[in-house]
């Protein structure tokens, strides 16, 4: 959860910013609702203009969903969810600004379904953003492996790695029955999870990279050094 929390900052900030903008807009409409003349007419026109955008955005969202157009991993949920959200807000502001009848027949069900789909699209968009950010972070890490801690691993059995950049050393038998006999240098710690260490060579590349998983227990001896 701690490693994935940065992926929530931007979506949460956008959602809160959108909520603030919606609240301010609704407040302005509420103030103009009781007035007459140009202000009230402007509110009506803005609401109708926003409503007119709903159908094109929905069409673009469905085209992106069927991969007719390339809108990225977040395009479909943002277009569909954004269109429905704009439609709901425009309808509420129009009712508030004009005093029109509300709700119309079946409108409660339509609003409820629209809100449910918008919430679903929000989770969908956050998932797409998290995947995109994870890929970008992985690419950045692959080009800056020096940021990860260097690791020296001692084992009792030979690992037979044979990886470029990883040096294997036979430890001197100082004591009879010494537990650790082999030392491996040139590794870096990628992650530590579930009682296991995920190690990669210091010159790891996407094309030729290898990975090593070792238990973080008494079967190995590990030393960490600055990257």
């Amino acid at each position: 959860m701690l490693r994935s929390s940065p992926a929530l900052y931007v979506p949460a900030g956008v959602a809160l910013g959108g909520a603030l903008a919606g609240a301010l807009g609704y407040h302005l409409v509420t103030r103009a609702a009781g007035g007459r003349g140009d202000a009230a007419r402007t509110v009506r026109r803005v609401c109708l203009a926003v409503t007119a955008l709903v159908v094109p955005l929905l069409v673009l969202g469905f085209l992106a969903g069927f991969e007719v157009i390339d809108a990225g991993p977040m395009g479909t949920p943002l277009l569909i969810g954004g269109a429905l959200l704009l439609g709901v807000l425009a309808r509420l502001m129009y009712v508030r600004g004009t005093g029109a009848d509300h709700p119309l027949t079946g409108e409660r069900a339509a609003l409820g379904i629209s809100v449910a789909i918008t919430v679903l699209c929000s989770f969908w968009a956050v998932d797409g953003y998290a995947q995109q950010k994870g890929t970008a972070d992985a690419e950045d890490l692959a080009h800056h492996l020096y940021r990860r801690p260097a690791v020296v691993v001692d084992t009792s059995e030979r690992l037979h790695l044979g990886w470029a950049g990883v040096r294997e050393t036979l430890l001197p038998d100082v004591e009879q029955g010494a537990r650790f006999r082999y030392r491996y240098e040139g590794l870096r710690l990628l992650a530590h999870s579930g009682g296991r260490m995920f190690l990669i060579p210091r010159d790891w590349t996407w094309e030729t990279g290898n990975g090593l998983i070792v238990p973080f227990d008494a079967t190995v001896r590990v030393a960490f050094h600055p990257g």
Side-chain angles (χ1 to χ4, degrees):
M1 292 180 64
L2 291 175
R3 286 196 298 266
S4 62
S5 60
L8 296 177
Y9 296 155
V10 172
V14 172
L16 292 176
L20 178 60
L24 292 175
Y26 190 80
H27 174 68
L28 294 176
V29 170
T30 301
R31 293 194 61 182
R36 297 179 181 179
D38 294 339
R41 284 193 295 270
T42 301
V43 168
R44 298 186 186 95
R45 291 172 182 171
V46 170
C47 291
L48 292 176
V50 171
T51 304
L53 293 174
V54 172
V55 174
L57 290 177
L58 285 175
V59 171
L60 290 175
F62 282 110
L63 290 177
F66 287 104
E67 298 183 353
V68 177
I69 60 175
D70 184 11
M74 297 180 291
T76 299
L78 288 179
L79 288 170
I80 295 178
L84 294 176
L85 183 60
L86 285 177
V88 171
L89 292 177
R91 173 57 180 164
L92 294 177
M93 291 182 180
Y94 185 83
V95 169
R96 185 66 176 177
T98 63
D101 294 335
H102 177 76
L104 301 177
T105 304
E107 189 172 9
R108 289 186 184 274
L111 289 176
I113 295 173
S114 298
V115 171
I117 295 177
T118 301
V119 173
L120 178 63
C121 288
S122 299
F123 283 102
W124 185 358
V126 171
D127 179 70
Y129 174 78
Q131 293 184 18
Q132 192 176 51
K133 187 180 187 314
T135 301
D137 290 346
E139 292 177 352
D140 179 71
L141 177 61
H143 293 90
H144 303 88
L145 289 178
Y146 61 86
R147 298 174 181 173
R148 305 304 300 166
V151 181
V152 177
V153 180
D154 294 343
T155 63
S156 58
E157 299 180 358
R158 189 177 183 184
L159 299 181
H160 299 279
L161 295 179
W163 296 348
V166 178
R167 184 172 72 242
E168 177 186 273
T169 304
L170 179 64
L171 297 176
D173 191 6
V174 178
E175 300 178 0
Q176 187 69 24
R179 178 186 300 178
F180 302 106
R181 299 296 310 277
Y182 299 92
R183 172 166 294 174
Y184 294 90
E185 301 173 276
L187 296 168
R188 294 193 180 276
L189 177 66
L190 178 63
H192 174 217
S193 177
R196 295 175 297 176
M197 294 183 299
F198 297 82
L199 307 177
I200 55 177
R202 62 184 177 186
D203 56 353
W204 184 94
T205 63
W206 178 262
E207 294 79 10
T208 60
N210 298 290
L212 176 66
I213 303 176
V214 297
F216 194 56
D217 54 22
T219 59
V220 296
R221 183 170 57 191
V222 181
F224 297 96
H225 302 281

